[in-house]
Amino acid sequence: MEKSSRIKGAESVLNLEPNSSIAIGYHGLFGSHDDTMLLEIDEKLLPDILHQRVTLRGQPDEDSVLCTRSKTYAIKFVGTSNSPLLIPPSGQFALCESSQDFDGGVHDFAPVIKVAHGNMELVEVAPKLDKLKLLLSENPYSYEDVLEMDFMEDVEKNKARLYNWDDLVERVQASDEELRSGLRALSAVEIDGFWRIVDEKYMDMILRMLLHNSVLNDWSLDALNEDDVVSVLVSDGFPDKLAYHCLHVYGSKVDGDVGRSCVWKLDERRVCVHFARQILSTEKKKMETFMAEWLQRIPGGMQASFDMLEGEVLMEKLGIETWVYAFSVSSLPLTPAERFNMLFRERSKWEWKDLQPYLRDLNVPGLSSEGLLLKYTRRAQPTSEAEPVFSSR
Amino acid sequence: MQIRVKCSCGAEKCPEWAVVELQGTVELNASFQTHLQNLQIGQLCRLSSTSQESYTFTVGYHELTGSKVTLKKPLLVLKKVKGFMDVDQNDDNNKKDDLPSSKVELDVIGIIRHKILFKTRPKALISKPQPLVKERTRAAVHTVPN
Ligand SMILES: [Zn+2]
C-alpha cells in the first residue's frame, strides 16, 4: 500500500468512526499563512457571503468594515490562548504526493495547515455617513455650475472634486442601501454622473421661481403638473435635472395624473422650513421680527407654525426679548459622541422637548435612545413633576 | 477601496474544514522547528459510541480528553487572493487613477461548523515528559488594522 493514500483531510477527522483513530500532524505546506484567516459570522449572513454580495470597504488609513447590501459591520479580531489546529479537506492544498513521508507509522494522517490564534468577528455599526456629507460639501452645485456648462474645459477641471457612485463606494464606509439613504437624507442629486448637494441659495432661487410661476399661471401648489413646471423652469434658465430636484426636495408625487405628466404637491412644512432657514441664514433675529418676515414669505395657501421649526431653530431669552437663531440638526455630526459634544457646546443644559428633535435621527445599532441618553448625558430632575434636564456627562 | 468577498467553490459546495483545538500553545523542541512539515503532533482517537462524541488526543507522553462541539456561529476560512484584472481595460481610463489597481479579493475557501475541543490539561501517560503542548496565555482582544 502506498503511503500517500493514507493522507486524509478534514472529512476523515469529522467523520471518524467510534473506536478508530487518525494521526494529526503538520501539513507539507504548514506555516503561518497570514493570508488565510477565520471570520465568525451569523448563520443568516451566510447566503450573502457565499453568493458574493459582501465587500470590505475602507481607505488604507481606516479600519475595514464589512458591508452587506443593507448593513455595515465593524471587524474585530479576537485572540485565543488555545491552539486551534486547522485541517483542510483533502485535496484543497495540493501536495506533491511522492514527497510525503510522515512519521505516523501505519495510521491515517490528517495534516494541519495552520494554527489559528484567533478569528475575526463582526459587530453591526452605523454607516460612516459623516464622510459622505464632508465629501459632497467640498463642492456643492451652485449657480456657477450652470454658467460653466458652456465651458466644458472648466467642468473637466472641476471633476477632481466630484464623486460618482463608484467613487463614493470606494470612500464611504456604508452599505449600498445605507449610502443611498444617506444621499437621500442630504437631498443629493446625480448630475452628469456625479452626486452633488445643491447650494441652498441656488435651491432658494429655483423654489422662488417655481412659486412665482405658480402665481403667474394660477397653478395650485397641491396639484402641480410636472411637465409644465419643468418646462417653465428650464425656460427660466434652470437645468431640467434641477427642476425635477426642486419638486423632489419640496414636494411629493400625488396619485392621479394629467395626461402622461406626474402631479406634485408642495410640502407645507418643507417649504416653510426653507424660508425660515433663509431668513436666519446670516444672523439671529428677534422673535417678532422673524415671525413677521417669515409669514410674509410663506406662499399663499400655506400656514406656517413655529413647531415646524423643531430641530431647525432655537430660542434664547436675552433680557425680556426672545431671539431665534438657526441650529439645524442636518448640520450636526451623525456620530453620537460628536453629536452630543456639539449639542452641549451649544447649550450646557437641555430640556427634553428641545433635545429630542436633535436626537431622533441618530441610529446606533444595539443602542436604544434611552441607552444613548444614559451613555452621553447626565439627567437631573429636581422634583418628580419637573421636566428632566440633560447635561454633559 | 473595496475588497470583494467571494466563494470560488460555488456557494453550497464550499467544503467543511476540521479544527482540533488544544489548550495552550503547541510548542516543539528546537531541533524540529526547521522541518515541521509532515511531523506528527498526536493521535486522535474517537471513543466507543456514547451519546456525546468523545475523543482522546495523545501527544507525546500525554493524553487529553475532549469532545466534538458544534459552533454557535460558523467560521469562514478566508484567503486573500489577487483577483484577476478584467481583460477589457482599454475602454475607459477615467477610472480612479489615484487608487491602487491591484485587485485583492477574499475567497471563502472553507467553512468550520464543528471543532474537537480538548479542554483538559494533559494527563501524563508515562513519567518522562517531553511535552509538545505547554500552557501559555495570550493577549485576548485587539482590532485588526486595515
Ligand atoms: Zn468557498
Side-chain angles (χ1 to χ4, degrees):
Chain A
M1 188 170 73
E2 286 279 288
K3 273 185 168 179
S4 58
S5 68
R6 282 182 271 120
I7 301 288
K8 306 290 183 184
E11 62 286 351
S12 305
V13 174
L14 293 166
N15 303 318
L16 195 61
E17 294 293 331
N19 290 316
S20 55
S21 69
I22 188 168
I24 307 290
Y26 293 98
H27 196 286
L29 299 171
F30 178 83
S32 62
H33 293 280
D34 293 329
D35 58 350
T36 302
M37 53 219 122
L38 300 182
L39 172 66
E40 185 192 76
I41 54 144
D42 228 80
E43 195 75 45
K44 66 175 197 291
L45 285 184
L46 199 56
D48 277 342
I49 293 186
L50 292 181
H51 291 101
Q52 336 213 342
R53 291 189 286 249
V54 164
T55 56
L56 299 191
R57 291 180 179 174
Q59 299 283 82
D61 60 336
E62 295 167 323
D63 289 335
S64 299
V65 296
L66 182 142
C67 296
T68 61
R69 278 178 182 178
S70 59
K71 286 187 171 146
T72 303
Y73 298 87
I75 303 170
K76 295 222 152 38
F77 186 80
V78 182
T80 172
S81 58
N82 286 358
S83 295
L85 311 176
L86 301 193
I87 302 168
S90 58
Q92 196 160 21
F93 280 78
L95 281 174
C96 184
E97 303 252 338
S98 59
S99 73
Q100 289 308 302
D101 184 23
F102 58 90
D103 65 351
V106 295
H107 288 286
D108 285 343
F109 182 84
V112 172
I113 192 75
K114 134 175 203 146
V115 181
H117 288 294
N119 62 265
M120 297 178 292
E121 282 181 9
L122 299 179
V123 182
E124 193 185 334
V125 290
K128 310 270 191 296
L129 293 174
D130 281 331
K131 188 165 177 192
L132 176 66
K133 184 155 68 176
L134 197 72
L135 291 175
L136 296 189
S137 306
E138 286 170 12
N139 191 9
Y141 188 92
S142 67
Y143 191 58
E144 280 91 79
D145 285 88
V146 185
L147 297 177
E148 274 170 10
M149 278 182 31
D150 302 330
F151 309 100
M152 284 313 283
E153 307 91 72
D154 289 346
V155 177
E156 290 297 321
K157 235 187 320 186
N158 265 339
K159 269 189 183 164
R161 296 183 294 146
L162 301 180
Y163 303 97
N164 63 25
W165 172 263
D166 288 343
D167 298 329
L168 294 176
V169 166
E170 294 283 340
R171 287 167 177 80
V172 180
Q173 294 189 302
S175 68
D176 287 6
E177 267 181 35
E178 290 164 330
L179 190 55
R180 261 184 250 286
S181 77
L183 287 167
R184 259 197 310 275
L186 290 172
S187 297
V189 55
E190 197 178 12
I191 301 170
D192 303 327
F194 297 103
W195 282 95
R196 313 287 299 271
I197 49 178
V198 183
D199 177 62
E200 221 167 322
K201 284 201 198 72
Y202 188 67
M203 287 308 289
D204 184 57
M205 283 170 59
I206 312 179
L207 178 62
R208 281 190 292 120
M209 190 58 80
L210 191 162
L211 294 170
H212 177 69
N213 279 299
S214 307
V215 175
L216 285 185
N217 299 301
D218 205 16
W219 294 335
S220 158
L221 299 183
D222 289 341
L224 291 167
N225 180 308
E226 180 179 280
D227 288 351
D228 294 348
V229 170
V230 171
S231 74
V232 162
L233 289 175
V234 167
S235 72
D236 284 328
F238 296 100
D240 57 353
K241 195 88 198 209
L242 274 298
Y244 287 113
H245 186 60
C246 183
L247 287 171
H248 274 278
V249 171
Y250 299 108
S252 47
K253 264 185 203 169
V254 290
D255 287 339
D257 42 4
V258 187
R260 296 217 321 272
S261 173
C262 298
V263 176
W264 291 78
K265 172 184 163 59
L266 287 195
D267 183 275
E268 187 173 63
R269 201 188 76 88
R270 279 182 266 161
V271 171
C272 293
V273 167
H274 169 83
F275 286 112
R277 286 168 63 109
Q278 286 296 307
I279 294 163
L280 296 171
S281 64
T282 50
E283 53 177 3
K284 63 177 165 187
K285 305 237 168 183
K286 276 186 199 157
M287 180 63 118
E288 304 80 67
T289 319
F290 165 73
M291 285 308 284
E293 273 186 59
W294 191 33
L295 295 176
Q296 192 226 321
R297 288 225 207 163
I298 300 303
M302 287 194 175
Q303 296 285 319
S305 87
F306 198 76
D307 358 305
M308 287 173 168
L309 302 180
E310 60 174 23
E312 292 292 341
V313 159
L314 286 176
M315 281 192 285
E316 68 179 346
K317 282 239 188 271
L318 292 175
I320 53 159
E321 309 274 20
T322 302
W323 292 70
V324 289
Y325 60 100
F327 185 70
S328 174
V329 62
S330 63
S331 67
L332 298 176
L334 291 164
T335 320
E338 290 169 35
R339 169 76 59 98
F340 280 100
N341 195 3
M342 294 289 275
L343 288 170
F344 289 120
R345 208 185 299 170
E346 183 60 36
R347 273 186 182 182
S348 58
K349 288 182 164 56
W350 287 82
E351 279 183 31
W352 176 240
K353 68 169 168 50
D354 291 337
L355 185 58
Q356 198 260 351
Y358 293 98
L359 299 182
R360 61 186 162 207
D361 65 318
L362 280 187
N363 172 27
V364 187
L367 205 54
S368 62
S369 53
E370 284 297 304
L372 270 178
L373 288 175
L374 277 173
K375 189 165 176 190
Y376 295 103
T377 68
R378 192 187 300 278
R379 181 191 167 111
Q381 200 166 4
T383 64
S384 58
E385 289 92 62
E387 283 290 314
V389 173
F390 296 87
S391 57
S392 179
R393 217 164 224 291
Chain B
M1 68 179 208
Q2 189 168 209
I3 298 174
R4 202 154 278 289
V5 182
K6 56 164 194 171
C7 168
S8 39
C9 339
E12 279 74 27
K13 292 196 210 84
C14 202
E16 195 171 344
W17 284 39
V19 172
V20 172
E21 186 166 325
L22 307 177
Q23 253 203 356
T25 306
V26 176
E27 266 194 9
L28 291 146
N29 289 347
S31 59
F32 287 131
Q33 275 175 7
T34 46
H35 47 101
L36 292 173
Q37 279 78 8
N38 306 325
L39 189 74
Q40 183 174 321
I41 300 169
Q43 191 74 27
L44 179 74
C45 180
R46 180 167 169 195
L47 303 179
S48 57
S49 57
T50 49
S51 55
Q52 181 192 27
E53 281 189 36
S54 307
Y55 294 82
T56 62
F57 194 57
T58 311
V59 185
Y61 302 94
H62 298 277
E63 187 183 275
L64 312 168
T65 55
S67 58
K68 192 185 204 176
V69 293
T70 301
L71 302 181
K72 271 185 257 133
K73 293 180 182 180
L75 287 167
L76 297 180
V77 186
L78 300 178
K79 189 175 163 63
K80 213 183 275 183
V81 289
K82 277 261 158 58
F84 299 100
M85 296 293 285
D86 292 335
V87 192
D88 54 322
Q89 278 181 309
N90 46 350
D91 57 343
D92 56 340
N93 42 14
N94 64 346
K95 290 260 160 174
K96 43 263 140 177
D97 304 320
D98 49 335
L99 293 163
S101 57
S102 64
K103 264 207 149 182
V104 175
E105 291 182 329
L106 286 174
D107 194 6
V108 185
I109 58 172
I111 179 162
I112 297 167
R113 293 186 175 278
H114 308 278
K115 62 185 178 188
I116 300 176
L117 177 63
F118 294 92
K119 281 194 208 157
T120 56
R121 286 156 181 274
K123 181 173 87 186
L125 291 182
I126 61 167
S127 55
K128 196 178 98 195
Q130 201 190 33
L132 291 171
V133 177
K134 279 188 183 169
E135 288 296 314
R136 271 283 175 89
T137 46
R138 272 167 185 275
V141 180
H142 39 110
T143 37
V144 221
N146 196 332

